[in-house]
Amino acid sequence: MENKLNLMVVDDEPIVGKRLKRLFKKEGYEVEAFTRSASAIMELDKKTFDIIITDLKMEGVDGLKLLKIARGKNPSVKVIIITGYGRKSIAKEAINKGAFDFITKPFKVNDLKQSVRKAERELRHK
C-alpha cells in the first residue's frame, strides 16, 4: 500500500478543523489540525506536510502568509485556501502566490475532497 500523505488543516474555527480532520482521516490521510496559525508554523519546522488546507482570514498569520511560509519550507506542498471572503481579486492573488486551489465557504465537502484528491494525484505523479 502507498504511503499516507500528511495533511494539515488550519482554521481558527475549531469545529471546521475537527470535521475536516475526521473526514480526511477516513479518506486515508494522516491529518493534523490547528486553530492557530502560529502553532501550525511551528509544526512546519518539525514535519513535512504534503497538502495544507488553510483558512484565509485568521488572527496573526493569515492564509496567504502561511502559504508563503509553507512553500518556502517545502516548494512541492499543495496549499488549498478556504475562505468566506471569496472575492476574485483575493483568489487570483492566492493562485499567483502558489496556492493549489481557492474554495469559498460555505463549500461542499465533495468539492474540497475533489481538490485534495487532485493535489494528491499531482504529488504522486512527480
Side-chain angles (χ1 to χ4, degrees), residues 35-105:
T35 55
R36 294 181 46 240
S37 53
S39 302
I41 291 165
M42 287 183 357
E43 192 63 20
L44 287 172
D45 287 332
K46 299 180 211 164
K47 186 174 178 180
T48 300
F49 289 86
D50 303 295
I51 300 169
I52 298 173
I53 299 169
T54 181
D55 192 10
L56 178 65
K57 298 286 184 187
M58 297 180 287
E59 198 174 297
V61 175
D62 69 8
L64 290 178
K65 281 195 190 119
L66 181 64
L67 165 68
K68 183 178 180 183
I69 292 166
R71 289 189 47 91
K73 294 177 185 297
N74 175 12
S76 67
V77 69
K78 303 295 183 195
V79 180
I80 299 167
I81 296 179
I82 56 176
T83 184
Y85 302 90
R87 293 198 323 263
K88 281 186 180 179
S89 60
I90 295 171
K92 187 176 179 184
E93 179 184 359
I95 299 300
N96 286 340
K97 289 184 175 182
F100 179 75
D101 204 353
F102 189 92
I103 299 174
T104 55
K105 293 178 182 176

